[in-house]
Amino acid sequence: MRTSDARPLLFLDVDGPLIPFGGTGHPVAATAGHPLRGRLDPGHGARLLALPCELVWATTWGEEANETIAPRIGLPRLPVVDWPEPTEDEGRGGLHWKTRPLLARAQGRPFVWVDDEITAADRAWAADRHPAPALLHRVDPRSCLTPADFDALALWLTCC
């Protein structure tokens, strides 16, 4: 159960969770400027906003996610994780390069990280070093976020 009034964070990647690669994701529509935008499911925004959390972009799209992705799926401007310069430790032990910066950004708050590249090493590292509950939720990049993913996120967020 949550011990703070602050809502949990939900760190959201774009490529994989929102834009599927291959498989049977959202049908591709012709979109000027960004060909991958046509793969976005416009229903994802409402489902994300319904979750009891604070949404944060955790993607290399950076601010472009607010300009390109958010309007297409009905999200407001969201905070964006600023990624630090890579270090020599990056990738050691199978740890994803986003893991350390996301735990630092969470500052001890409960959080969910939704990405298609999360591994057991990331989960173990977070469990050993993060004082609050954390769910590192891997999404299949071929199908992006599914109703089952949203159900799992909602359940965890209401119980954390």
Side-chain angles (χ1 to χ4, degrees):
M1 191 56 88
R2 199 171 315 135
T3 59
S4 167
D5 291 336
R7 293 184 305 160
L9 298 164
L10 189 149
F11 295 119
L12 182 61
D13 186 29
V14 169
D15 297 318
L18 296 178
I19 298 176
F21 294 104
T24 58
H26 196 70
V28 176
T31 305
H34 291 275
L36 295 179
R37 270 190 359 182
R39 295 183 181 196
L40 291 165
D41 182 339
H44 279 160
R47 294 211 63 182
L48 287 164
L49 290 172
L51 295 171
C53 61
E54 180 183 330
L55 298 170
V56 178
W57 291 120
T59 174
T60 57
W61 285 67
E63 278 297 332
E64 190 176 356
N66 279 321
E67 298 161 14
T68 304
I69 305 299
R72 181 99 171 147
I73 64 173
L75 289 177
R77 290 189 75 79
L78 302 176
V80 176
V81 174
D82 291 320
W83 304 113
E85 290 297 318
T87 68
E88 290 181 19
D89 290 337
E90 199 170 285
R92 287 197 181 169
L95 194 64
H96 194 285
W97 63 268
K98 291 182 182 178
T99 307
R100 285 182 181 91
L102 291 179
L103 267 67
R105 175 73 181 256
Q107 296 180 341
R109 287 172 63 181
F111 75 88
V112 174
W113 172 22
V114 177
D115 205 306
D116 62 314
E117 297 180 343
I118 294 168
T119 67
D122 301 306
R123 289 185 181 98
W125 202 86
D128 288 346
R129 291 164 178 84
H130 192 67
L135 173 65
L136 281 65
H137 185 80
R138 186 182 183 282
V139 173
D140 184 338
R142 295 167 296 169
S143 58
C144 65
L145 282 165
T146 65
D149 291 312
F150 280 106
D151 290 346
L153 297 173
L155 178 62
W156 190 88
L157 287 163
T158 56
C159 295
C160 77

Short mmCIF file of all heavy atoms in Angstrom, two decimals, residues 49 55 57 66 70 74-78:
data_model
loop_
_atom_site.label_atom_id
_atom_site.label_comp_id
_atom_site.label_asym_id
_atom_site.label_seq_id
_atom_site.Cartn_x
_atom_site.Cartn_y
_atom_site.Cartn_z
N LEU A 49 -4.25 7.83 -19.58
CA LEU A 49 -4.73 8.88 -18.67
C LEU A 49 -5.64 8.34 -17.57
O LEU A 49 -5.74 8.93 -16.50
CB LEU A 49 -5.46 9.96 -19.46
CG LEU A 49 -4.58 10.84 -20.34
CD1 LEU A 49 -5.44 11.74 -21.22
CD2 LEU A 49 -3.61 11.65 -19.50
N LEU A 55 2.26 10.33 -15.60
CA LEU A 55 2.92 9.86 -16.82
C LEU A 55 4.16 10.70 -17.11
O LEU A 55 4.14 11.92 -16.99
CB LEU A 55 1.97 9.93 -18.01
CG LEU A 55 0.72 9.07 -17.92
CD1 LEU A 55 -0.24 9.43 -19.06
CD2 LEU A 55 1.08 7.60 -17.95
N TRP A 57 7.46 10.73 -20.12
CA TRP A 57 8.12 10.13 -21.27
C TRP A 57 9.50 9.63 -20.87
O TRP A 57 10.29 10.38 -20.31
CB TRP A 57 8.29 11.13 -22.42
CG TRP A 57 7.03 11.57 -23.09
CD1 TRP A 57 6.57 12.85 -23.17
CD2 TRP A 57 6.10 10.76 -23.82
NE1 TRP A 57 5.40 12.88 -23.89
CE2 TRP A 57 5.09 11.61 -24.31
CE3 TRP A 57 6.02 9.41 -24.10
CZ2 TRP A 57 4.02 11.15 -25.05
CZ3 TRP A 57 4.95 8.94 -24.84
CH2 TRP A 57 3.97 9.80 -25.31
N ASN A 66 6.22 14.84 -27.09
CA ASN A 66 5.14 15.79 -26.81
C ASN A 66 4.61 16.44 -28.08
O ASN A 66 3.43 16.76 -28.16
CB ASN A 66 5.62 16.87 -25.83
CG ASN A 66 5.59 16.39 -24.42
OD1 ASN A 66 4.69 15.67 -24.00
ND2 ASN A 66 6.60 16.76 -23.65
N ALA A 70 2.09 12.65 -28.46
CA ALA A 70 1.02 13.02 -27.53
C ALA A 70 -0.25 13.50 -28.25
O ALA A 70 -1.34 13.01 -27.95
CB ALA A 70 1.52 14.07 -26.54
N GLY A 74 -3.93 11.68 -27.96
CA GLY A 74 -4.77 12.38 -26.98
C GLY A 74 -4.15 12.58 -25.61
O GLY A 74 -4.86 12.68 -24.62
N LEU A 75 -2.84 12.69 -25.55
CA LEU A 75 -2.18 12.98 -24.28
C LEU A 75 -1.81 14.45 -24.20
O LEU A 75 -1.50 15.07 -25.23
CB LEU A 75 -0.88 12.16 -24.13
CG LEU A 75 -1.03 10.66 -23.91
CD1 LEU A 75 0.35 10.01 -23.87
CD2 LEU A 75 -1.80 10.37 -22.63
N PRO A 76 -1.80 15.01 -23.00
CA PRO A 76 -1.27 16.37 -22.84
C PRO A 76 0.26 16.32 -22.89
O PRO A 76 0.85 15.24 -22.97
CB PRO A 76 -1.74 16.75 -21.42
CG PRO A 76 -1.77 15.43 -20.70
CD PRO A 76 -2.22 14.42 -21.73
N ARG A 77 0.90 17.48 -22.83
CA ARG A 77 2.37 17.50 -22.70
C ARG A 77 2.74 16.79 -21.41
O ARG A 77 2.12 17.03 -20.37
CB ARG A 77 2.89 18.93 -22.68
CG ARG A 77 2.76 19.64 -24.01
CD ARG A 77 3.48 20.97 -24.00
NE ARG A 77 4.92 20.80 -24.08
CZ ARG A 77 5.59 20.54 -25.20
NH1 ARG A 77 4.95 20.40 -26.33
NH2 ARG A 77 6.90 20.42 -25.19
N LEU A 78 3.74 15.96 -21.48
CA LEU A 78 4.20 15.21 -20.32
C LEU A 78 5.64 15.60 -20.00
O LEU A 78 6.38 16.02 -20.89
CB LEU A 78 4.17 13.70 -20.61
CG LEU A 78 2.83 13.09 -21.01
CD1 LEU A 78 3.01 11.61 -21.35
CD2 LEU A 78 1.81 13.27 -19.90
#
